[in-house]
């Protein structure tokens, strides 16, 4: 856990862990781990996913402790998170010194 208050909990999700359940995996998820942690402190606790990261991506995830906070954060998420950076470790020799990757939304990354 990185931060926790009455409304949110911020955690560092490791690579290889799903953020939310899938048809194949229900329990080995960040959501499940955080929910179990909160319920151990207060059996009436709830947790809401504000955003997710892909299974193979590690990084910071914000979860809300109530639906109102989740909705408020999601309404303005792109304003709160204006910069998204990814770091890759590459083995071997790269063909080009620099290059561009185009994301699914058409944005260019250098």
């Amino acid at each position: 856990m990185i931060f926790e208050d009455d409304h949110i909990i911020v955690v560092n999700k490791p690579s290889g862990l799903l953020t939310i359940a899938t048809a194949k995996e229900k329990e080995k998820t960040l959501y499940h781990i955080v929910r179990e942690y909160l319920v151990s402190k207060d059996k009436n606790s709830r947790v809401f996913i504000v955003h997710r990261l892909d299974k193979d991506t590690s990084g910071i995830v914000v979860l809300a402790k109530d639906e109102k906070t989740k909705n408020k954060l999601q309404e303005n998420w792109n304003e709160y998170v204006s910069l998204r950076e990814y770091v890759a470790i590459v083995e071997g020799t790269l063909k080009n010194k620099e290059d561009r990757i185009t994301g699914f939304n058409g944005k260019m990354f250098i």
Side-chain angles (χ1 to χ4, degrees), residues 38-97:
L38 292 173
V39 167
S40 74
K41 292 171 40 174
D42 175 0
K43 67 178 183 159
N44 296 317
S45 292
R46 297 181 69 198
V47 64
F48 299 85
I49 298 290
V50 175
H51 68 101
R52 1 177 240 109
L53 291 176
D54 291 340
K55 179 180 179 181
D56 294 330
T57 303
S58 63
I60 305 302
V61 177
V62 178
L63 300 100
K65 293 182 174 182
D66 59 79
E67 199 163 7
K68 182 179 178 181
T69 301
K70 177 198 82 125
N71 291 337
K72 199 67 167 166
L73 287 169
Q74 286 179 336
E75 280 175 20
N76 301 305
W77 189 251
N78 288 331
E79 292 174 30
Y80 297 137
V81 184
S82 60
L83 176 64
R84 294 175 176 96
E85 293 183 328
Y86 295 85
V87 176
I89 298 172
V90 180
E91 184 178 332
T93 305
L94 297 176
K95 181 178 168 183
N96 301 324
K97 189 171 184 174

Side-chain angles (χ1 to χ4, degrees), residues 13-48:
K13 185 192 89 60
S15 174
L17 182 67
L18 290 166
T19 302
I20 57 174
T22 65
K24 293 181 181 180
E25 182 56 64
K26 303 281 185 214
E27 292 189 13
K28 291 182 183 174
T29 66
L30 182 69
Y31 173 85
H32 184 76
I33 293 167
V34 172
R35 184 179 171 279
E36 290 297 312
Y37 163 75
L38 292 173
V39 167
S40 74
K41 292 171 40 174
D42 175 0
K43 67 178 183 159
N44 296 317
S45 292
R46 297 181 69 198
V47 64
F48 299 85

